[in-house]
Coordinates of all heavy atoms in Angstrom, one line a residue:
M4 N -171.1 -131.1 -104.2 CA -171.4 -132.6 -104.2 C -172.8 -132.8 -103.8 O -173.2 -132.1 -102.8 CB -170.4 -133.3 -103.3 CG -170.6 -134.8 -103.2 SD -169.6 -135.6 -101.9 CE -170.6 -135.3 -100.6
K5 N -173.5 -133.7 -104.4 CA -174.9 -133.9 -104.0 C -174.9 -135.4 -103.4 O -174.3 -136.3 -104.0 CB -175.8 -133.9 -105.1 CG -176.2 -132.4 -105.4 CD -177.2 -132.2 -106.4 CE -177.8 -130.9 -106.5 NZ -179.0 -130.9 -107.4
L6 N -175.8 -135.6 -102.4 CA -176.0 -136.9 -102.0 C -177.1 -137.6 -102.6 O -178.1 -137.0 -102.9 CB -176.2 -136.9 -100.5 CG -175.1 -136.4 -99.5 CD1 -175.6 -136.4 -98.0 CD2 -173.9 -137.3 -99.7
T7 N -176.9 -138.8 -102.9 CA -178.0 -139.6 -103.5 C -179.0 -139.9 -102.4 O -178.6 -140.0 -101.2 CB -177.6 -140.9 -104.3 OG1 -177.0 -141.8 -103.2 CG2 -176.5 -140.7 -105.3
E8 N -180.1 -140.3 -102.7 CA -181.1 -140.7 -101.8 C -180.7 -142.0 -101.0 O -180.9 -142.1 -99.8 CB -182.5 -140.9 -102.4 CG -183.2 -139.5 -102.9 CD -183.4 -138.5 -101.8 OE1 -183.8 -138.9 -100.7 OE2 -183.1 -137.4 -102.1
E9 N -180.0 -142.9 -101.8 CA -179.6 -144.1 -101.1 C -178.5 -143.7 -100.1 O -178.6 -144.3 -99.0 CB -178.9 -145.0 -102.2 CG -178.4 -146.2 -101.6 CD -177.8 -147.1 -102.8 OE1 -177.9 -146.8 -103.9 OE2 -177.1 -148.2 -102.4
L10 N -177.6 -142.9 -100.4 CA -176.6 -142.5 -99.5 C -177.1 -141.8 -98.2 O -176.8 -142.0 -97.2 CB -175.4 -141.8 -100.1 CG -174.3 -141.3 -99.2 CD1 -173.5 -142.5 -98.5 CD2 -173.1 -140.6 -99.9
K11 N -178.1 -140.9 -98.5 CA -178.7 -140.2 -97.4 C -179.4 -141.3 -96.4 O -179.3 -141.0 -95.2 CB -179.8 -139.2 -97.9 CG -179.2 -138.0 -98.6 CD -180.4 -137.1 -99.1 CE -179.9 -135.9 -99.8 NZ -181.0 -135.1 -100.3
G12 N -180.1 -142.2 -97.0 CA -180.7 -143.2 -96.1 C -179.7 -144.0 -95.3 O -179.9 -144.2 -94.2
K13 N -178.6 -144.3 -95.9 CA -177.5 -145.1 -95.2 C -177.0 -144.3 -94.0 O -176.8 -144.7 -93.0 CB -176.3 -145.5 -96.1 CG -176.7 -146.6 -97.1 CD -175.4 -146.9 -97.9 CE -175.7 -148.0 -99.0 NZ -174.5 -148.2 -99.8
L14 N -176.7 -143.0 -94.3 CA -176.2 -142.1 -93.2 C -177.2 -141.9 -92.1 O -176.9 -141.9 -90.9 CB -175.8 -140.8 -93.9 CG -174.5 -140.9 -94.8 CD1 -174.2 -139.6 -95.4 CD2 -173.3 -141.3 -94.1
K15 N -178.4 -141.7 -92.6 CA -179.5 -141.5 -91.5 C -179.8 -142.7 -90.7 O -180.0 -142.6 -89.4 CB -180.8 -141.2 -92.3 CG -181.9 -140.7 -91.3 CD -183.2 -140.3 -92.1 CE -184.3 -140.1 -91.2 NZ -185.5 -139.7 -91.9
N16 N -179.6 -143.8 -91.2 CA -179.6 -145.1 -90.4 C -178.5 -145.5 -89.7 O -178.5 -146.6 -89.0 CB -180.2 -146.2 -91.3 CG -181.7 -146.0 -91.9 OD1 -182.4 -145.3 -91.2 ND2 -182.0 -146.4 -93.1
A17 N -177.3 -144.8 -89.9 CA -176.1 -145.2 -89.2 C -176.3 -145.0 -87.7 O -176.9 -144.1 -87.2 CB -175.0 -144.3 -89.7
S18 N -175.7 -146.0 -87.0 CA -176.0 -146.0 -85.5 C -174.8 -145.4 -84.7 O -175.0 -145.1 -83.5 CB -176.1 -147.5 -85.0 OG -174.9 -148.2 -85.3
S19 N -173.8 -145.0 -85.4 CA -172.6 -144.3 -84.7 C -171.8 -143.5 -85.7 O -171.9 -143.6 -86.8 CB -171.8 -145.3 -84.0 OG -171.1 -146.2 -85.0
K20 N -171.0 -142.6 -85.1 CA -170.0 -141.8 -85.9 C -169.1 -142.7 -86.7 O -168.8 -142.5 -87.8 CB -169.3 -140.8 -85.0 CG -170.0 -139.6 -84.6 CD -169.0 -138.7 -83.9 CE -169.5 -137.4 -83.8 NZ -168.7 -136.4 -83.1
E21 N -168.7 -143.8 -86.1 CA -167.8 -144.7 -86.7 C -168.4 -145.4 -87.9 O -167.8 -145.5 -88.9 CB -167.3 -145.8 -85.7 CG -166.4 -145.3 -84.6 CD -167.1 -144.6 -83.5 OE1 -168.3 -144.8 -83.3 OE2 -166.4 -143.8 -82.9
E22 N -169.7 -145.7 -87.8 CA -170.4 -146.3 -89.0 C -170.6 -145.2 -90.0 O -170.4 -145.6 -91.3 CB -171.8 -146.8 -88.5 CG -172.5 -147.5 -89.6 CD -173.8 -148.2 -89.1 OE1 -174.1 -148.2 -88.0 OE2 -174.5 -148.7 -90.0
V23 N -170.8 -144.0 -89.7 CA -170.9 -142.9 -90.6 C -169.6 -142.8 -91.4 O -169.5 -142.6 -92.6 CB -171.3 -141.6 -90.1 CG1 -171.1 -140.4 -91.0 CG2 -172.8 -141.6 -89.6
K24 N -168.5 -142.7 -90.7 CA -167.1 -142.6 -91.2 C -167.0 -143.8 -92.2 O -166.3 -143.6 -93.3 CB -166.1 -142.6 -90.1 CG -166.1 -141.3 -89.5 CD -165.0 -141.1 -88.4 CE -165.0 -139.9 -87.6 NZ -164.0 -139.9 -86.6
K25 N -167.3 -145.0 -91.8 CA -167.1 -146.1 -92.6 C -167.8 -146.1 -94.0 O -167.2 -146.3 -95.1 CB -167.5 -147.5 -91.9 CG -167.2 -148.7 -92.7 CD -167.6 -149.9 -92.0 CE -167.5 -151.2 -92.7 NZ -168.1 -152.4 -92.1
I26 N -169.1 -145.6 -93.9 CA -169.9 -145.4 -95.1 C -169.3 -144.4 -96.0 O -169.1 -144.6 -97.2 CB -171.4 -145.0 -94.7 CG1 -172.0 -146.1 -94.0 CG2 -172.2 -144.5 -95.9 CD1 -173.4 -145.8 -93.4
L27 N -168.8 -143.4 -95.4 CA -168.3 -142.2 -96.2 C -166.9 -142.6 -96.8 O -166.6 -142.3 -97.9 CB -168.1 -140.9 -95.4 CG -169.3 -140.3 -95.0 CD1 -169.1 -139.1 -94.0 CD2 -170.2 -139.9 -96.1
E28 N -166.1 -143.4 -96.1 CA -164.9 -143.9 -96.6 C -165.2 -144.9 -97.8 O -164.4 -144.9 -98.8 CB -164.0 -144.6 -95.5 CG -163.4 -143.7 -94.6 CD -162.3 -142.7 -95.3 OE1 -161.7 -143.1 -96.2 OE2 -162.4 -141.5 -94.9
E29 N -166.2 -145.7 -97.7 CA -166.5 -146.6 -98.8 C -166.9 -145.8 -100.1 O -166.5 -146.1 -101.2 CB -167.6 -147.6 -98.3 CG -167.1 -148.6 -97.3 CD -168.2 -149.5 -96.7 OE1 -169.5 -149.3 -97.0 OE2 -167.9 -150.4 -95.9
T30 N -167.8 -144.8 -99.8 CA -168.2 -143.9 -100.8 C -167.1 -143.2 -101.5 O -167.1 -143.1 -102.7 CB -169.3 -142.9 -100.2 OG1 -170.3 -143.6 -99.6 CG2 -169.9 -142.0 -101.4
K31 N -166.1 -142.8 -100.7 CA -165.0 -142.0 -101.2 C -164.1 -143.0 -102.1 O -163.8 -142.6 -103.2 CB -164.1 -141.5 -100.0 CG -162.9 -140.8 -100.6 CD -162.0 -140.2 -99.4 CE -160.8 -139.5 -99.9 NZ -160.0 -139.1 -98.8
K32 N -163.9 -144.2 -101.7 CA -163.3 -145.2 -102.5 C -163.9 -145.5 -103.8 O -163.3 -145.6 -104.9 CB -163.0 -146.5 -101.6 CG -162.2 -147.6 -102.4 CD -162.1 -148.7 -101.6 CE -161.3 -149.8 -102.3 NZ -161.2 -151.1 -101.6
S33 N -165.2 -145.7 -103.7 CA -166.0 -145.9 -105.1 C -166.0 -144.8 -106.0 O -165.8 -144.8 -107.2 CB -167.5 -146.2 -104.6 OG -167.5 -147.4 -103.8
A34 N -166.1 -143.6 -105.3 CA -165.9 -142.3 -106.2 C -164.6 -142.1 -106.8 O -164.5 -141.8 -108.0 CB -166.2 -141.2 -105.3
E35 N -163.5 -142.5 -106.2 CA -162.2 -142.3 -106.7 C -162.1 -143.3 -107.8 O -161.5 -142.9 -108.8 CB -161.2 -142.6 -105.5 CG -161.0 -141.4 -104.6 CD -160.1 -141.7 -103.4 OE1 -159.7 -142.9 -103.3 OE2 -159.8 -140.7 -102.7
E36 N -162.6 -144.5 -107.7 CA -162.5 -145.5 -108.7 C -163.3 -145.1 -109.9 O -162.9 -145.5 -111.0 CB -163.0 -146.9 -108.2 CG -162.1 -147.6 -107.2 CD -162.7 -148.8 -106.5 OE1 -163.8 -149.1 -106.8 OE2 -162.0 -149.4 -105.6
A37 N -164.4 -144.3 -109.8 CA -165.1 -143.7 -110.8 C -164.5 -142.5 -111.5 O -165.0 -142.0 -112.3 CB -166.6 -143.4 -110.3
G38 N -163.5 -141.9 -110.8 CA -162.8 -140.8 -111.3 C -163.3 -139.5 -110.6 O -162.9 -138.4 -111.0
V39 N -164.0 -139.6 -109.6 CA -164.4 -138.4 -108.7 C -163.7 -138.5 -107.4 O -163.6 -139.5 -106.8 CB -165.9 -138.4 -108.5 CG1 -166.2 -137.2 -107.6 CG2 -166.7 -138.5 -109.8
I40 N -163.0 -137.5 -107.1 CA -162.3 -137.4 -105.8 C -163.0 -136.5 -104.9 O -163.3 -135.2 -105.1 CB -160.8 -136.9 -106.1 CG1 -160.1 -137.9 -107.0 CG2 -160.0 -136.8 -104.7 CD1 -158.7 -137.6 -107.3
L41 N -163.4 -137.0 -103.7 CA -164.0 -136.2 -102.6 C -162.9 -135.8 -101.7 O -162.1 -136.6 -101.1 CB -165.0 -137.1 -101.9 CG -166.1 -137.7 -102.7 CD1 -166.9 -138.4 -101.9 CD2 -166.8 -136.6 -103.4
D42 N -162.8 -134.5 -101.4 CA -161.8 -134.1 -100.4 C -162.4 -134.1 -99.0 O -163.5 -134.4 -98.8 CB -161.2 -132.7 -100.7 CG -162.2 -131.6 -100.7 OD1 -163.4 -131.9 -100.1 OD2 -161.9 -130.6 -101.2
D43 N -161.5 -133.9 -98.0 CA -161.9 -134.0 -96.6 C -163.0 -133.0 -96.3 O -163.9 -133.3 -95.5 CB -160.7 -133.7 -95.6 CG -159.7 -134.9 -95.7 OD1 -160.1 -136.0 -96.0 OD2 -158.5 -134.6 -95.3
E44 N -163.0 -131.9 -96.9 CA -164.1 -130.8 -96.6 C -165.4 -131.3 -97.1 O -166.3 -131.1 -96.5 CB -163.7 -129.4 -97.4 CG -164.7 -128.4 -97.0 CD -164.3 -127.1 -97.9 OE1 -163.2 -127.0 -98.3 OE2 -165.2 -126.2 -97.8
D45 N -165.5 -132.0 -98.3 CA -166.7 -132.6 -98.7 C -167.2 -133.6 -97.7 O -168.3 -133.6 -97.4 CB -166.4 -133.3 -100.1 CG -166.2 -132.3 -101.3 OD1 -166.8 -131.1 -101.2 OD2 -165.6 -132.7 -102.3
L46 N -166.3 -134.5 -97.2 CA -166.6 -135.6 -96.3 C -167.1 -134.9 -95.0 O -168.1 -135.4 -94.4 CB -165.5 -136.6 -96.1 CG -165.2 -137.4 -97.3 CD1 -163.9 -138.2 -97.1 CD2 -166.3 -138.2 -97.8
D47 N -166.5 -133.9 -94.6 CA -166.9 -133.2 -93.3 C -168.2 -132.7 -93.4 O -169.1 -132.8 -92.4 CB -165.8 -132.2 -92.9 CG -164.6 -132.8 -92.3 OD1 -164.5 -134.0 -92.1 OD2 -163.6 -132.0 -92.3
N48 N -168.5 -131.9 -94.6 CA -169.7 -131.3 -94.7 C -170.9 -132.4 -94.8 O -172.0 -132.2 -94.3 CB -169.8 -130.5 -96.0 CG -169.0 -129.3 -95.9 OD1 -168.9 -128.7 -94.7 ND2 -168.4 -128.8 -97.1
V49 N -170.6 -133.5 -95.4 CA -171.6 -134.7 -95.4 C -171.9 -135.2 -94.1 O -173.0 -135.5 -93.8 CB -171.2 -135.7 -96.5 CG1 -172.0 -136.9 -96.3 CG2 -171.1 -135.2 -97.9
A50 N -170.8 -135.3 -93.3 CA -170.9 -135.9 -92.0 C -171.5 -134.9 -90.9 O -171.5 -135.2 -89.8 CB -169.6 -136.5 -91.6
G51 N -171.7 -133.7 -91.4 CA -172.3 -132.7 -90.5 C -171.2 -131.8 -89.8 O -171.4 -131.1 -88.9
G52 N -170.0 -131.9 -90.3 CA -168.8 -131.1 -89.7 C -169.1 -129.6 -90.3 O -169.5 -129.4 -91.3
I53 N -168.7 -128.8 -89.3 CA -168.7 -127.4 -89.7 C -167.3 -126.8 -89.4 O -166.8 -127.0 -88.4 CB -169.7 -126.6 -88.7 CG1 -171.1 -127.2 -88.8 CG2 -169.8 -125.1 -89.0 CD1 -172.1 -126.7 -88.0
P54 N -166.8 -126.1 -90.5 CA -165.5 -125.4 -90.3 C -165.5 -124.4 -89.1 O -166.5 -123.6 -88.9 CB -165.3 -124.7 -91.5 CG -166.2 -125.2 -92.6 CD -167.3 -125.8 -91.7
I55 N -164.6 -124.5 -88.2 CA -164.5 -123.7 -86.9 C -163.6 -122.5 -87.3 O -162.5 -122.7 -87.6 CB -164.2 -124.5 -85.8 CG1 -165.2 -125.6 -85.5 CG2 -164.0 -123.6 -84.6 CD1 -164.8 -126.4 -84.4
N56 N -164.1 -121.3 -87.0 CA -163.2 -120.1 -87.2 C -162.8 -119.8 -85.8 O -163.4 -119.5 -84.8 CB -164.2 -118.9 -87.7 CG -163.3 -117.6 -88.0 OD1 -162.2 -117.5 -87.5 ND2 -163.9 -116.8 -88.8
P57 N -161.4 -119.9 -85.7 CA -160.7 -119.7 -84.5 C -160.9 -118.3 -83.8 O -160.7 -118.0 -82.8 CB -159.3 -120.1 -84.7 CG -159.1 -119.8 -86.1 CD -160.5 -120.2 -86.8
W58 N -161.3 -117.4 -84.7 CA -161.4 -115.9 -84.3 C -162.8 -115.7 -83.8 O -163.0 -114.6 -83.2 CB -161.1 -115.0 -85.4 CG -159.7 -115.3 -86.0 CD1 -159.4 -115.9 -87.2 CD2 -158.5 -115.0 -85.4 NE1 -158.0 -116.1 -87.3 CE2 -157.4 -115.5 -86.2 CE3 -158.1 -114.4 -84.2 CZ2 -156.1 -115.4 -85.9 CZ3 -156.8 -114.3 -83.9 CH2 -155.7 -114.7 -84.7
V59 N -163.7 -116.6 -83.9 CA -165.1 -116.3 -83.5 C -165.3 -117.2 -82.1 O -165.1 -118.4 -82.1 CB -166.1 -116.8 -84.5 CG1 -167.5 -116.7 -83.9 CG2 -165.9 -116.0 -85.7
I60 N -165.7 -116.5 -81.1 CA -165.9 -117.1 -79.8 C -167.3 -117.0 -79.6 O -167.9 -115.9 -79.4 CB -165.1 -116.6 -78.7 CG1 -163.7 -116.6 -79.0 CG2 -165.4 -117.3 -77.4 CD1 -162.8 -115.9 -78.1
S61 N -168.1 -118.1 -79.3 CA -169.6 -118.0 -78.9 C -169.6 -118.3 -77.6 O -169.0 -118.9 -76.8 CB -170.2 -119.0 -79.7 OG -169.8 -120.4 -79.4
L62 N -170.6 -117.5 -76.9 CA -170.9 -117.6 -75.5 C -172.1 -118.4 -75.2 O -173.0 -118.3 -75.9 CB -170.9 -116.2 -74.9 CG -169.7 -115.4 -75.0 CD1 -169.8 -114.0 -74.5 CD2 -168.4 -116.1 -74.3

């Protein structure tokens, strides 16, 4: 999935995590209506989430 410049700008200007989540949920809804489905992994990656490997411990 690629972010449009418009979406990148919205996310960059978001003032809180809640606002980022709201923007992403609205984007997800619009994408589903257009026939594109974003899964949780896509949304996490866009929001800066990193999958955590429980077998790796950082010190």
Side-chain angles (χ1 to χ4, degrees):
M4 182 186 84
K5 285 189 165 185
L6 296 179
T7 64
E8 292 302 317
E9 180 182 353
L10 182 56
K11 285 180 185 178
K13 286 181 183 178
L14 294 173
K15 185 177 180 181
N16 293 326
S18 59
S19 66
K20 279 187 171 184
E21 290 76 26
E22 189 174 350
V23 168
K24 287 180 182 182
K25 182 179 176 185
I26 292 168
L27 293 176
E28 285 298 321
E29 289 171 359
T30 302
K31 181 178 178 180
K32 182 179 178 184
S33 297
E35 288 173 346
E36 290 170 359
V39 178
I40 298 175
L41 305 175
D42 61 15
D43 288 337
E44 183 178 347
D45 289 331
L46 294 175
D47 286 343
N48 288 332
V49 172
I53 300 172
I55 298 173
N56 185 340
W58 302 108
V59 176
I60 300 172
S61 60
L62 301 173

